[in-house]
Amino acid sequence: MRVAARSALDTAARSTKPPRYKCGISKACPEKHFAFKMASGAANVVGPKICLEDNVLMSGVKNNVGRGINVALVNGKTGEVLDTKYFDMWGGDVAPFIEFLKSIQDGTIVLMGTYDDGATKLNDEARRLIAELGSTSITNLGFRDNWVFCGGKGIKTKSPFEQHIKNNKDTNKYEGWPEVVEMEGCIPQKQD
């Protein structure tokens, strides 16, 4: 008797459990859209995380994130991961980042998240190339700001997928760094 009661309770609990959507986002994406969720790094301790279609592309657990700007490139038609890289914008050189940005092919979805400091070595050329991917906040990105962005090569408008928190000693959550920025949404699949 006890077993039957327990299974009835389990069934009831299962039916009231909210549905889980790809990458843990709050709602299902329409057809011909890719679900994504991303977060910037937390201070210089926890790296950023980028998830697309229930596939974690970059994270501290995967050990493929680093200080600076973390970038995932995805085929806009198929959702296939093309590349993941990070560029140190504190102690590194901006030239390899610029070359990387210039090499991105039309129709590529570009997801970016900062960790620690993503702005110190950014120059006008790098900022312009990121703005061409649909970013509006890149021109104002400063030392230790937190920023996440999803845009695309060949985008004709500004991307609606961007979050930016300024580093401000009066409002920072962590000493020297603002709180993590998170963003989720549904990216339209590129159509022919």
Side-chain angles (χ1 to χ4, degrees), residues 22 29 32 149 153 177 184:
K22 290 178 181 172
C29 288
K32 296 190 183 340
F149 165 71
K153 182 71 172 220
W177 287 271
E184 66 176 46

Side-chain angles (χ1 to χ4, degrees), residues 43-44 90 114-120 141-147 165-168 172 175-178:
N44 61 348
W90 167 253
T114 56
Y115 180 31
D116 189 358
D117 176 42
T120 296
L141 192 68
F143 174 67
R144 287 188 178 168
D145 287 0
N146 275 339
W147 173 70
I165 297 182
K166 294 296 281 176
N167 171 18
N168 177 332
N172 282 348
E175 194 176 320
W177 287 271

Side-chain angles (χ1 to χ4, degrees), residues 31-155:
E31 220 177 295
K32 296 190 183 340
H33 283 71
F34 300 119
F36 80 95
K37 187 172 188 173
M38 52 197 303
S40 68
N44 61 348
V45 181
V46 179
K49 185 174 180 180
I50 299 175
C51 177
L52 183 88
E53 286 293 289
D54 247 1
N55 181 13
V56 176
L57 309 183
M58 300 185 81
S59 72
V61 173
K62 290 189 75 130
N63 202 26
N64 66 347
V65 295
R67 178 172 71 184
I69 297 181
N70 292 263
V71 187
L73 302 181
V74 176
N75 181 308
K77 287 183 184 164
T78 65
E80 173 196 1
V81 181
L82 302 172
D83 204 355
T84 59
K85 280 193 169 39
Y86 59 89
F87 298 89
D88 186 349
M89 293 293 108
W90 167 253
D93 179 6
V94 74
F97 186 41
I98 289 170
E99 291 311 305
F100 179 80
L101 291 169
K102 287 179 176 177
S103 73
I104 299 171
Q105 301 295 306
D106 263 18
T108 301
I109 297 168
V110 182
L111 301 110
M112 297 186 179
T114 56
Y115 180 31
D116 189 358
D117 176 42
T120 296
K121 294 283 178 82
L122 279 182
N123 61 16
D124 289 344
E125 184 179 10
R127 290 176 190 270
R128 179 184 54 75
L129 290 165
I130 295 169
E132 287 173 5
L133 300 170
S135 173
T136 52
S137 296
I138 194 63
T139 52
N140 304 315
L141 192 68
F143 174 67
R144 287 188 178 168
D145 287 0
N146 275 339
W147 173 70
V148 288
F149 165 71
C150 174
K153 182 71 172 220
I155 193 170

